[in-house]
Amino acid sequence: MPFGSLCDPSIALGLLKAGLNRAGISCAVRYFTFPFAAKIGAQLYFELANGTPRLTALVGEWLFAEALWGPGRLDSAAYVEEVLRDRGRGSRSDDFWSSHRFAADAPEREEFIEEVLRAHVAVAPFLDDCIDEVVRRRPRILGFTSVFQQQIASLALASRVRQALPETFLLIGGANVEGAMGNEVVRQFDFLDAVVSGEADAVFPQLVLRVLAGESIEALPGVLTRQTLSLADEPSTAPSNEQNGFVDLNALPYPDYDDFFQQLHFESDVAPAPVRVTFETSRGCWWGAKHHCTFCGLNGLSMAYRSKRPQRALDELMALNQRYPGRAISVVDNILDTSYFRTFLPLLRDSVTDLNLFYEIKSNVSKDQLRVLRDAGVICVQPGIESLSTHILRLMRKGVTMLQNIQTLKWCRELGIDVAWNVIWGFPGETARDYEQCAALVPLLTHLQPPGMRAPIRLDRFSPYFEQAQDFGITNVRPHLAYEHLYDLPAPAIANLAYFFRFDYADGRQVHHYTAPLLEQLDAWAQNHSTSELLYVDNENHLSIRDLRPAARRPHHVLDGLHREVLLACDRVHGVAHLEALAEKHGGPDTLPGVLADLIDAGLLLTEDGHYLALALPEGSYSRFTLRDRD
């Protein structure tokens, strides 16, 4: 259901369909995303699915709320005023519109609200069309996948199916019904027959076979019904093997996306961006299993990390590429298995297949590892940078430093790898000084790829900040304001259904008071990036540097001797001990402090805690980006 992506088939549905087919069960996947996008306009659909004006406004959910509860049960005007016009009650952690489209232009904001209200009118006829199609198909079982802004639309259609086809078995699964959220869905929405909490790959075929045979489903792990619901106990997730409690990824079928691409063929005008094939090589997060990042609510109750055998992963990828040729591949893993640098990625590189891949990685990668990624066809990475302050990164439990983050940005720029990264702020324990330092740093980085998004932290269910709020100085935790306009339910039930939460800081801090200078510099970064360069040519005897950053001390530098050696050595982060050893060969260690001071003063070298990183890139590093960036 809306607002699932128009550009990516659901890997959950692709895997579940393949699993049912393997069990000899006939099924089909229907993407009602396409017809709704056609009704409201592909561009508006795309913006709402991607969280405009901000994800916590839950506009896509609100559009279907009246259809779920009926006319007059919810105050639509109050939602528009309090959420869309941002005139809500009480303090919030994100009291602004994060999209630049609306930040300073009230008329455009009002135009957007008018578009949303027109889309609201389109919901009822859209659901009529949906129910007509479901009635024509008369499924014995109808399941919904629900992630982010798909919950209310799914419930609205399910309630209509219950009335039209009372014998159809209705169930829902996905991240929106994991743990306590799934319990509450079972409690509140009696038109559903079951909820599946957790990974459903193994349990779903069993559930379907039992329903078709008229047998009980009560004992199936992770399957919640009104009969099994216990108000006192948390639901179990859905394990599939007794050895590790989770799905064996190597035993899964290849996902089946035929329905998506067949439907896309008839709705090709509603996909506003290139369509990708979704693919996974792992689940969970190996870093989070050891050091759960404080703000991260991903993985829910399934943090344990598992990855596919390299050859199995390669075989699946080749099969998907052959079945759906010419499509970019979007890898949905939360983090790349580090062993893949030695195994899967070299196999992929040697397969002589031209693929465009995306991967999430950790930003402490080496340059050689980034080369392996590039040579394997990974053209975009998301390294989870989040901040340019080592102190704030420690508050996040990121396990990296500011210099390592910038090193990754620099190397990706050199190697022609796109970087998807964000800046987030509002971490308990951060200081105004952290942001002063970041603001002073940014003008030196305009030749590197700027962040794609900037936003305050969210308080997400399952994150350490949510689970241990008091320990982190977080107080007055309550569901985001939008949820009050989605559910006509008591406050405790809404709290159990919510994934996004508001909060206050126990120390009363007002984050916007000290972040403004950094945000101004980030704006300048985005504006100046396309004309900024910091490139060098090494002639072995001297280093010639061209500096076209707005913050350049001068446009041209010529370095020789120890100055040249230090700058080349600091292509990667080095401690002072390494540089002292280098200085022994070039003029003696006494000359090193002056050389370092010269390079730092010239804006060519960064330093922190006795470590150093050069910022210049070798000539030719921009070749892959030049046309796109300058257009």
Side-chain angles (χ1 to χ4, degrees):
M1 292 295 288
F3 274 81
S5 172
L6 298 174
C7 304
D8 310 84
S10 165
I11 191 167
L13 295 181
L15 285 169
L16 293 180
K17 178 183 178 182
L20 291 183
N21 288 341
R22 178 189 277 181
I25 301 165
S26 174
C27 62
V29 177
R30 181 61 168 112
Y31 286 86
F32 282 129
T33 50
F34 293 131
F36 192 62
K39 277 189 180 294
I40 71 170
Q43 186 58 39
L44 177 62
Y45 184 103
F46 187 75
E47 289 182 352
L48 296 181
N50 284 278
T52 299
R54 59 179 184 269
L55 188 54
T56 53
L58 296 168
V59 183
E61 293 282 69
W62 174 78
L63 285 176
F64 286 85
E66 183 179 276
L68 173 61
W69 300 104
R73 293 277 295 273
L74 300 171
D75 190 341
S76 295
Y79 172 82
V80 172
E81 188 70 10
E82 295 177 2
V83 179
L84 293 186
R85 291 199 173 96
D86 210 22
R87 299 167 184 164
R89 295 161 276 128
S91 61
R92 300 190 304 286
S93 60
D94 61 339
D95 56 351
F96 71 102
W97 284 45
S98 59
S99 171
H100 285 298
R101 175 180 167 187
F102 310 102
D105 195 338
E108 285 210 0
R109 183 186 297 191
E110 290 302 314
E111 289 175 12
F112 171 78
I113 291 172
E114 288 301 316
E115 288 184 71
V116 169
L117 294 176
R118 285 193 291 272
H120 187 255
V121 175
V123 165
F126 163 72
L127 288 173
D128 289 343
D129 292 343
C130 292
I131 195 66
D132 287 346
E133 181 170 339
V134 173
V135 168
R136 285 198 304 272
R137 291 174 178 257
R138 301 192 69 84
R140 179 66 187 86
I141 301 169
L142 182 64
F144 296 82
T145 185
S146 179
V147 180
F148 291 122
Q149 298 187 89
Q150 292 179 291
Q151 185 81 335
I152 305 297
S154 297
L155 293 171
L157 181 56
S159 67
R160 285 161 170 73
V161 175
R162 172 58 65 227
Q163 295 173 10
L165 298 173
E167 300 304 314
T168 295
F169 187 93
L170 299 175
L171 74 158
I172 190 169
N176 282 334
V177 294
E178 190 162 9
M181 297 181 290
N183 254 345
E184 199 63 45
V185 166
V186 172
R187 260 187 223 111
Q188 301 298 337
F189 302 105
D190 58 6
F191 50 79
L192 292 172
D193 293 294
V195 166
V196 180
S197 171
E199 296 178 2
D201 306 84
V203 75
F204 186 57
Q206 299 176 49
L207 183 155
V208 169
L209 288 169
R210 291 192 185 191
V211 170
L212 294 177
E215 299 173 356
S216 171
I217 62 171
E218 312 305 334
L220 292 174
V223 176
L224 312 175
T225 68
R226 287 180 294 284
Q227 288 70 39
T228 61
L229 182 63
S230 166
L231 297 179
D233 298 328
E234 285 295 312
S236 64
T237 53
S240 71
N241 85 42
E242 297 178 356
Q243 187 174 20
N244 60 25
F246 291 104
V247 169
D248 177 4
L249 301 186
N250 296 298
L252 294 177
Y254 299 167
D256 183 337
Y257 299 133
D258 289 357
D259 293 305
F260 176 86
F261 286 104
Q262 288 168 6
Q263 291 164 49
L264 176 67
H265 176 73
F266 293 104
E267 305 278 2
S268 57
D269 56 331
V270 302
V275 174
R276 303 166 297 236
V277 172
T278 42
F279 167 66
E280 70 174 349
T281 56
S282 69
R283 291 184 187 175
C285 178
W286 55 261
W287 177 255
K290 298 184 294 184
H291 306 284
H292 193 170
C293 293
T294 51
F295 64 94
C296 181
L298 297 178
N299 296 298
L301 304 174
S302 305
M303 185 68 77
Y305 191 70
R306 300 138 283 154
S307 62
K308 293 175 181 173
R309 291 189 300 270
Q311 188 62 52
R312 163 65 166 79
L314 180 67
D315 291 345
E316 179 176 340
L317 183 56
M318 294 299 100
L320 289 173
N321 186 56
Q322 184 175 10
R323 189 166 183 171
Y324 310 108
R327 303 291 184 183
I329 308 291
S330 181
V331 186
V332 299
D333 300 28
N334 288 157
I335 193 168
L336 174 68
D337 186 336
T338 54
S339 71
Y340 274 17
F341 288 112
R342 305 184 309 274
T343 58
F344 171 66
L345 292 169
L347 285 173
L348 185 56
R349 176 197 62 206
D350 297 340
S351 68
V352 198
T353 301
D354 186 18
L355 295 175
N356 296 326
L357 292 174
F358 164 85
Y359 248 115
E360 294 194 33
I361 62 174
K362 198 163 170 9
S363 67
N364 60 353
V365 287
S366 70
K367 195 172 189 176
D368 285 342
Q369 289 174 327
L370 286 171
R371 284 196 185 96
V372 171
L373 282 166
R374 181 199 61 186
D375 293 347
V378 178
I379 65 168
C380 183
V381 296
Q382 183 173 325
I385 287 174
E386 266 83 63
S387 179
L388 299 176
S389 162
T390 295
H391 177 234
I392 295 174
L393 290 165
R394 286 174 182 153
L395 294 175
M396 297 183 200
R397 300 178 186 163
K398 274 289 181 177
V400 295
T401 66
M402 170 270 288
L403 289 179
Q404 286 175 304
N405 278 344
I406 295 172
Q407 176 178 265
T408 296
L409 286 174
K410 185 182 79 160
W411 285 342
C412 285
R413 188 69 171 171
E414 176 181 345
L415 297 173
I417 300 173
D418 254 324
V419 187
W421 71 285
N422 309 314
V423 171
I424 51 181
W425 60 84
F427 295 89
E430 67 185 17
T431 68
R433 177 63 177 155
D434 294 328
Y435 289 90
E436 291 169 6
Q437 292 172 339
C438 288
L441 174 66
V442 165
L444 302 176
L445 308 179
T446 54
H447 62 301
L448 305 180
Q449 192 162 347
M453 187 191 78
R454 313 96 53 88
I457 60 167
R458 290 197 318 249
L459 185 58
D460 292 357
R461 185 182 293 278
F462 304 120
S463 70
Y465 279 159
F466 178 79
E467 300 289 350
Q468 303 142 37
Q470 188 172 359
D471 295 342
F472 288 103
I474 290 173
T475 187
N476 194 22
V477 174
R478 67 272 192 208
H480 255 281
L481 183 60
Y483 286 105
E484 298 178 22
H485 301 282
L486 304 183
Y487 295 105
D488 184 22
L489 293 171
I494 294 175
N496 284 335
L497 291 167
Y499 182 80
F500 303 126
F501 293 83
R502 295 176 288 166
F503 66 95
D504 298 322
Y505 296 95
D507 59 11
R509 69 177 57 215
Q510 298 295 316
V511 173
H512 63 276
H513 287 168
Y514 55 77
T515 55
L518 173 61
L519 300 185
E520 291 174 6
Q521 291 298 333
L522 293 177
D523 284 340
W525 188 351
Q527 293 164 8
N528 296 321
H529 171 60
S530 64
T531 56
S532 291
E533 289 182 357
L534 182 58
L535 299 170
Y536 71 81
V537 175
D538 184 18
N539 295 319
E540 296 189 2
N541 292 320
H542 66 273
L543 206 65
S544 179
I545 299 175
R546 182 171 71 251
D547 190 348
L548 301 183
R549 298 171 297 173
R553 278 33 168 193
R554 57 180 184 269
H556 188 253
H557 304 262
V558 177
L559 306 180
D560 55 17
L562 187 56
H563 287 79
R564 170 182 171 275
E565 295 294 334
V566 167
L567 204 75
L568 291 175
C570 289
D571 178 56
R572 54 157 291 189
V573 176
H574 274 303
V576 70
H578 177 87
L579 301 180
E580 286 173 345
L582 188 66
E584 289 278 3
K585 305 173 183 177
H586 297 273
D590 292 344
T591 61
L592 181 62
V595 168
L596 294 174
D598 289 344
L599 294 174
I600 292 168
D601 183 64
L604 303 177
L605 193 70
L606 296 180
T607 181
E608 184 178 50
D609 297 333
H611 290 78
Y612 299 86
L613 175 69
L615 291 175
L617 296 164
E619 184 76 41
S621 296
Y622 297 90
S623 59
R624 184 165 166 192
F625 297 92
T626 300
L627 290 177
R628 185 194 64 195
D629 285 352
R630 295 189 187 282
D631 280 347

